[in-house]
Amino acid sequence: MFFLIIIWIILQCEEWCRIQVLAEYCEKGAEYVNNICTDCDIGFYKELPGNDSCTKCPPGYTTLGTGSTSNSSCNILHCEQGFFSRDNISCSICPNGTYKNLTGNQPCVKCPMNTTTPRGGGTDIKDCSLDCPTICIPNDPCKYTGTSSCVCPTGYYGQHCSKRCSPGCLNDSCHKVNGKCDCKEGYYGDKCLKTGMLDKRNKWTSHCKSNGSEEKRFKSDHCSIGWFGESCQYRDLGVLAIMDYKVLNDNNDRTCVKQNSVRILWNHEIQTITWIRLVFQSNEDADEIAIHYYDEMLKSTTLVCGPSDLRYHKYGNTSIDFNCEYSYFSGALLITWQSDSPLCSVRISGERNMATAARQVRWKHRRKSWTPIETLNDGYYSNTGCLIMNSSITLEFDFWNDIFSFQIILFTDFSREDGHGTFSVQLLDSVEDLVFNISTRGKDVFVQKAIFGAIYSFRTVYIRVLSGTLHLCEVEIYGDCQKPYYGPTCQDICYLSCLDQVCTYEGECFSCVPGHSGIYCQDRNDSDYVTLAARATAEADDSSHTEDYSLKNIYIAMLIQMVLLMCVLFIGNKYFSAQSNPRADAAFLSRGPSKL
């Protein structure tokens, strides 16, 4: 038994010695595994012979094959899970919204649509645990993942939802990528950047439905929705309002309601209202119109204009135009009237774009001469013909005569994601004295507004950029001619027979001076002249009689004053004489009464 144990120990020792001998002789690039020397796997190397295990290559690298004998063999890029390579030189972490569950140089895999990872370096599909928002937001975790189907907020488009849709886009929405959209009525082009049809001056500023140069008198519905007037030149704020009946702002004068009042609300926004048009089936008996102006919260009445406060003008056989002076800013209206005729439409004038009526538009660089430019008031919002403005550029709009305005709108290159800038607007009168100055900053890239907060009269506008850069493509100045001027370019003068020399866009008088009548107050009323002459004669006679009586009274008063003055002088003279000669007075008194 003892000998058997000795033999077993010798055999085990022999096996152990054989293993040690073999292990010691595993060459470089091999390791002892399962009793044999095996080449190092790919991604491992062994620099010395012996029984040591193979060494793993540095992170992100591997070897070309097995049996590598040096660290220098680890020269092949090989990314770990959650990492990928763009250039086969270095590994980068998988970005948000992707993952990679394999080692190697494979690209990262996108998460399923509308999901993303909380951070980069995802190694499994389970890491795609965050849901993407349905509306794109500035801090959207899915913004750069390509897995989001979110839509931009209304009015914006682009990868970061920072580009502005055209104002002509239907429902103020456009394609998320390229900005194309269906156009509102009256806008044209694949991106709705033309504000109207071509007019006689070859500008995209006509808002008529059919022929851009056609004028249809007394028919408001020949204009595109949002515009009215004989030439569709006036902006209609009524289409933006909420009214008691939808038929009153549907741009259709054939749909009417029997009503003697209407409430108008603009969703808590202040509007600048210069005048109003009511369209009846017949305006013959319309009377006693009154307007109640409210603040934007409908909490208080800011002004009430009764029939005696309003200025009226009957337009054709159906419409009545009227306004209340100094009542331009309001958030809501209540209009009342008396008429047996149904009401068909309510037009609220936001005035017309006076930029198209400018005598000249030009710009200049500091210390250089003026350069004319014709693409900033042509009704085309496209980036063709834009003016790149910085602090060294001045833009000028000069008009034939004085105009009034309350708002200027700047439209910049809608295809850019930058373009914010602080700009100033200066209004100058005919002798270039400063009337008003405002500095403002646009709320978004495309549309930038300067609202004056009051109505100003001026002849020239200067626009300058104070900081930043504006790629200015179109300018709109809303207002109208200052009296006594009228017409498309404010070069015509209202008739002297118009009361206060105030008339409409077509030159028709609101009211006539006494003794005149007619649309243009061109007719002389002889009966009125006779009445006026008789009244003037009677007033002259009354005045002459009054003057005669006044003169007689003056003479009598003067005579009485003279008599009183003489009496005072006589008595005073006697008194002072007695004081100055007392002896004579005593002698005189001692004589006693004289005898006759």
Side-chain angles (χ1 to χ4, degrees):
M1 186 67 181
F2 176 76
F3 290 105
L4 291 174
I5 293 173
I6 295 299
I7 293 171
W8 181 82
I9 292 174
I10 292 172
L11 292 174
Q12 291 297 322
C13 180
E14 181 181 2
E15 180 66 18
W16 179 82
C17 292
R18 187 179 65 82
I19 292 173
Q20 292 300 316
V21 170
L22 290 174
E24 289 176 358
Y25 285 95
C26 280
E27 301 295 334
K28 295 188 296 184
E31 63 179 348
Y32 188 74
V33 179
N34 296 329
N35 300 328
I36 59 174
C37 287
T38 305
D39 289 340
C40 295
D41 289 336
I42 294 176
F44 291 82
Y45 67 94
K46 183 180 176 186
E47 295 181 331
L48 299 174
N51 59 355
D52 294 333
S53 299
C54 296
T55 304
K56 187 177 181 180
C57 288
Y61 291 92
T62 188
T63 59
L64 183 61
T66 61
S68 298
T69 60
S70 173
N71 183 32
S72 60
S73 299
C74 299
N75 56 3
I76 305 300
L77 190 68
H78 188 78
C79 300
E80 300 292 328
Q81 291 181 341
F83 290 82
F84 75 106
S85 176
R86 295 186 180 92
D87 49 15
N88 289 328
I89 297 176
S90 61
C91 293
S92 301
I93 190 170
C94 290
N96 280 359
T98 63
Y99 68 95
K100 181 183 171 189
N101 56 3
L102 300 174
T103 61
N105 296 346
Q106 305 93 335
C108 301
V109 181
K110 284 186 178 181
C111 290
M113 284 301 295
N114 294 321
T115 62
T116 187
T117 56
R119 63 188 65 85
T123 59
D124 193 271
I125 193 173
K126 295 180 180 179
D127 293 330
C128 302
S129 57
L130 291 182
D131 294 329
C132 299
T134 56
I135 300 295
C136 301
I137 55 178
N139 58 347
D140 184 357
C142 304
K143 181 182 295 185
Y144 305 103
T145 64
T147 62
S148 175
S149 62
C150 71
V151 294
C152 292
T154 302
Y156 293 87
Y157 78 101
Q159 181 180 3
H160 310 309
C161 297
S162 58
K163 297 180 181 180
R164 191 72 163 84
C165 299
S166 165
C169 288
L170 185 64
N171 299 323
D172 201 23
S173 62
C174 58
H175 192 277
K176 179 181 176 181
V177 177
N178 56 28
K180 293 184 178 181
C181 60
D182 296 328
C183 297
K184 295 177 183 176
E185 182 180 307
Y187 289 84
Y188 305 92
D190 59 348
K191 295 180 181 177
C192 309
L193 293 172
K194 297 175 181 178
T195 65
M197 300 178 68
L198 281 174
D199 60 12
K200 297 177 181 178
R201 297 166 297 175
N202 203 34
K203 294 185 177 183
W204 299 95
T205 56
S206 174
H207 302 289
C208 297
K209 285 184 178 179
S210 53
N211 187 349
S213 61
E214 184 177 4
E215 296 181 358
K216 299 180 180 180
R217 190 170 178 81
F218 309 138
K219 293 183 179 180
S220 299
D221 55 356
H222 75 283
C223 302
S224 298
I225 190 167
W227 300 90
F228 73 103
E230 184 171 323
S231 301
C232 304
Q233 72 275 24
Y234 288 111
R235 185 176 53 163
D236 185 7
L237 301 178
V239 299
L240 306 175
I242 300 173
M243 299 189 186
D244 294 331
Y245 298 92
K246 292 183 179 180
V247 298
L248 297 180
N249 59 348
D250 63 352
N251 201 43
N252 187 351
D253 292 347
R254 298 177 181 85
T255 54
C256 309
V257 293
K258 185 65 178 70
Q259 191 74 9
N260 289 100
S261 67
V262 60
R263 290 176 298 177
I264 305 169
L265 176 65
W266 281 279
N267 283 331
H268 309 297
E269 292 183 2
I270 291 292
Q271 301 292 332
T272 306
I273 303 167
T274 52
W275 57 281
I276 300 170
R277 172 175 292 178
L278 298 183
V279 182
F280 298 91
Q281 286 185 348
S282 172
N283 62 9
E284 184 176 356
D285 65 341
D287 197 9
E288 298 185 20
I289 300 176
I291 313 175
H292 299 255
Y293 294 84
Y294 294 88
D295 60 17
E296 70 273 22
M297 301 303 294
L298 286 176
K299 291 183 178 180
S300 61
T301 303
T302 58
L303 183 67
V304 177
C305 275
S308 60
D309 303 316
L310 296 176
R311 178 176 289 166
Y312 293 88
H313 171 68
K314 287 191 175 183
Y315 186 75
N317 299 321
T318 59
S319 301
I320 294 182
D321 298 341
F322 54 91
N323 76 302
C324 181
E325 196 171 5
Y326 307 117
S327 59
Y328 302 123
F329 301 95
S330 181
L333 300 174
L334 172 63
I335 306 175
T336 60
W337 63 91
Q338 293 296 324
S339 176
D340 292 331
S341 177
L343 180 68
C344 304
S345 294
V346 179
R347 314 281 184 180
I348 311 295
S349 174
E351 292 305 339
R352 58 191 178 104
N353 180 15
M354 297 302 296
T356 61
R359 182 175 68 91
Q360 63 180 357
V361 182
R362 57 184 185 172
W363 67 275
K364 73 172 182 177
H365 192 277
R366 188 182 298 123
R367 299 196 186 114
K368 292 187 178 180
S369 59
W370 290 98
T371 301
I373 184 169
E374 298 180 353
T375 56
L376 299 184
N377 61 343
D378 60 355
Y380 195 11
Y381 296 142
S382 171
N383 54 11
T384 302
C386 296
L387 176 64
I388 302 177
M389 295 187 63
N390 52 34
S391 58
S392 63
I393 300 294
T394 298
L395 176 64
E396 178 192 72
F397 279 76
D398 186 53
F399 297 90
W400 293 98
N401 290 297
D402 287 352
I403 69 168
F404 69 82
S405 178
F406 47 84
Q407 181 186 61
I408 292 180
I409 305 178
L410 308 182
F411 296 89
T412 60
D413 185 357
F414 87 109
S415 63
R416 300 179 62 88
E417 295 189 9
D418 57 356
H420 285 291
T422 302
F423 62 96
S424 71
V425 174
Q426 290 182 328
L427 310 179
L428 287 78
D429 60 17
S430 57
V431 293
E432 296 190 355
D433 288 337
L434 183 64
V435 176
F436 180 70
N437 182 30
I438 184 174
S439 298
T440 185
R441 182 180 181 88
K443 292 184 178 180
D444 58 53
V445 176
F446 187 31
V447 183
Q448 310 202 31
K449 297 181 180 180
I451 301 175
F452 304 153
I455 293 181
Y456 291 94
S457 176
F458 54 90
R459 180 76 60 88
T460 304
V461 178
Y462 285 150
I463 300 175
R464 296 184 177 93
V465 173
L466 302 180
S467 64
T469 301
L470 289 180
H471 293 249
L472 190 58
C473 302
E474 188 73 11
V475 177
E476 295 179 354
I477 304 173
Y478 283 98
D480 211 333
C481 305
Q482 185 66 282
K483 69 175 185 179
Y485 301 101
Y486 76 95
T489 58
C490 303
Q491 296 185 75
D492 301 312
I493 300 179
C494 300
Y495 287 96
L496 293 173
S497 52
C498 294
L499 185 62
D500 297 329
Q501 212 170 353
V502 176
C503 58
T504 67
Y505 175 83
E506 296 83 12
E508 299 178 4
C509 302
F510 276 89
S511 302
C512 300
V513 297
H516 289 80
S517 63
I519 295 177
Y520 303 101
C521 299
Q522 74 278 16
D523 299 329
R524 174 175 168 174
N525 298 333
D526 292 335
S527 59
D528 289 345
Y529 269 94
V530 171
T531 302
L532 290 173
R535 185 182 302 167
T537 302
E539 291 177 353
D541 292 341
D542 292 340
S543 176
S544 63
H545 290 312
T546 302
E547 290 178 357
D548 291 341
Y549 289 130
S550 299
L551 288 174
K552 290 179 181 178
N553 293 334
I554 291 173
Y555 292 151
I556 293 173
M558 290 177 63
L559 182 60
I560 294 173
Q561 289 178 358
M562 291 178 65
V563 171
L564 292 174
L565 180 61
M566 292 176 65
C567 293
V568 170
L569 291 175
F570 178 77
I571 295 172
N573 182 48
K574 286 294 184 179
Y575 175 78
F576 286 110
S577 297
Q579 292 293 328
S580 60
N581 193 2
R583 292 182 179 179
D585 292 341
F588 176 77
L589 293 173
S590 64
R591 292 178 187 175
S594 60
K595 296 181 180 180
L596 297 176

